[in-house]
Amino acid sequence: MKKCIWCNRDEKIATFNNRAHTIPQSLGGKHICENVCDDCNAYFGNRASGLPSIEAIFKEFIHLSQYILLLNIQKKIRLKSEFFDVTKQLEVKTKMKYSLRKDFQNKLLRQFKRAIYKVFLEERERQCKDAHDERFNFIREFCRADLGDYPVFYMLPFKGVVLFQTDDVKNPEVRFTIRAEDLDKKFRMFEFMLCGHTLIIPTSTLYQTVFKAFLNSLKYRPVLMGTEMVEIRRIDDIDITFEHLKNN
């Protein structure tokens, strides 16, 4: 019997008729999480209190990076954005009607962070079948109930290098590898690449007890993978348009 990873309702009291893509299909996402009910699936795609939906924010940011990485490979790719204006020099600015809204940037960032945790938990369920574990309750509260606040970390790229495979940009996906399992066991952290960006999130509220050890472990990473990590506190902390490539 299906049981929703977000609200814990099963097929006796909830419907599971719609396909819940872990990464939006419009970005090339192919995978479905079976244990997401229709109500929760709709929640992530709907606007709330005048804010863009969690799914819409995720699509906007990832599509910008996707567009730039594929620009010289797939000439017909089109860039559409509700929230941003993109110049010919690929500079990104928030559209006037949004930039003038009070505290919009902070709200935008929060929606993006919730989107990253949402993708993680749905892929965790699809691949590992253990998203109902109590240690993920903080993610349920953050994503579905909009409670609390949790970090998303960004690995700064190394000297103008972007590591990516074209297929992974066209059809983004999250992989739970042996290395990912090792990071989770040692440090309660999960690292994944998404359209040329390396993002890291905690998989438990207990991650802080070993956070210093995790930071120390970054020194021993392959240099090309980046060895310096920052917490995303503003949207432009992520080099969405790969500015570091222009400066090298």
Side-chain angles (χ1 to χ4, degrees):
M1 181 177 291
K2 293 178 181 178
K3 184 178 180 181
C4 182
I5 62 171
W6 297 112
C7 66
N8 284 317
R9 296 185 300 165
D10 59 29
E11 290 175 291
K12 293 179 181 178
I13 52 177
T15 59
F16 293 78
N17 298 323
N18 298 319
R19 291 158 61 85
H21 284 82
T22 59
I23 290 177
Q25 194 172 15
S26 59
L27 291 175
K30 295 181 176 180
H31 300 302
I32 307 293
C33 182
E34 300 290 344
N35 286 322
V36 175
C37 74
D38 293 337
D39 287 343
C40 290
N41 190 28
Y43 171 82
F44 291 116
N46 292 337
R47 290 175 176 266
S49 304
L51 285 173
S53 72
I54 289 173
E55 184 175 285
I57 287 298
F58 183 83
K59 286 193 289 189
E60 286 275 328
F61 282 94
I62 300 307
H63 183 55
L64 281 171
S65 295
Q66 195 178 48
Y67 171 80
I68 291 170
L69 291 178
L70 295 178
L71 195 57
N72 295 320
I73 303 170
Q74 193 172 321
K75 296 291 185 182
K76 293 183 180 179
I77 189 169
R78 297 176 64 187
L79 178 62
K80 293 181 180 179
S81 176
E82 179 182 348
F83 309 110
F84 304 106
D85 287 319
V86 182
T87 68
K88 291 182 180 179
Q89 291 74 35
L90 299 178
E91 296 172 342
V92 178
K93 296 181 179 179
T94 306
K95 289 185 176 179
M96 185 69 72
K97 63 179 179 179
Y98 291 111
S99 63
L100 295 177
R101 290 188 186 182
K102 185 180 179 181
D103 208 29
F104 183 74
Q105 290 292 336
N106 289 333
K107 292 175 180 177
L108 202 69
L109 174 61
R110 183 174 178 83
Q111 292 292 81
F112 178 75
K113 287 164 61 176
R114 292 170 73 197
I116 295 299
Y117 280 91
K118 171 193 175 290
V119 170
F120 163 79
L121 196 63
E122 290 183 356
E123 275 297 322
R124 179 87 195 191
E125 175 64 15
R126 186 182 74 82
Q127 297 181 51
C128 305
K129 311 297 183 187
D130 65 353
H132 287 284
D133 192 300
E134 289 186 0
R135 76 173 164 118
F136 299 127
N137 284 347
F138 79 101
I139 297 180
R140 271 179 275 278
E141 292 172 356
F142 184 43
C143 294
R144 187 62 174 90
D146 198 13
L147 298 174
D149 190 19
Y150 300 96
V152 174
F153 299 100
Y154 177 64
M155 188 61 65
L156 296 176
F158 174 74
K159 293 183 180 178
V161 174
V162 176
L163 300 176
F164 73 96
Q165 292 183 336
T166 303
D167 288 344
D168 285 344
V169 175
K170 289 181 178 178
N171 306 111
E173 61 178 292
V174 174
R175 294 183 175 88
F176 285 78
T177 61
I178 295 174
R179 181 177 180 278
E181 185 179 353
D182 188 50
L183 277 179
D184 185 36
K185 286 181 178 178
K186 286 182 179 177
F187 306 113
R188 288 305 191 215
M189 302 290 279
F190 180 71
E191 175 184 332
F192 64 103
M193 291 191 68
L194 198 59
C195 288
H197 304 294
T198 301
L199 302 173
I200 302 172
I201 61 171
T203 61
S204 164
T205 54
L206 300 177
Y207 79 96
Q208 293 175 329
T209 60
V210 288
F211 191 60
K212 287 184 179 179
F214 174 68
L215 290 177
N216 187 58
S217 73
L218 298 181
K219 300 174 185 176
Y220 306 101
R221 290 163 56 91
V223 213
L224 288 179
M225 292 177 64
T227 57
E228 186 180 352
M229 183 181 76
V230 297
E231 181 178 349
I232 300 171
R233 298 185 184 276
R234 290 174 48 87
I235 282 299
D236 54 15
D237 286 337
I238 310 171
D239 189 4
I240 300 169
T241 57
F242 306 106
E243 288 291 320
H244 68 282
L245 292 181
K246 301 176 190 176
N247 299 326
N248 285 274

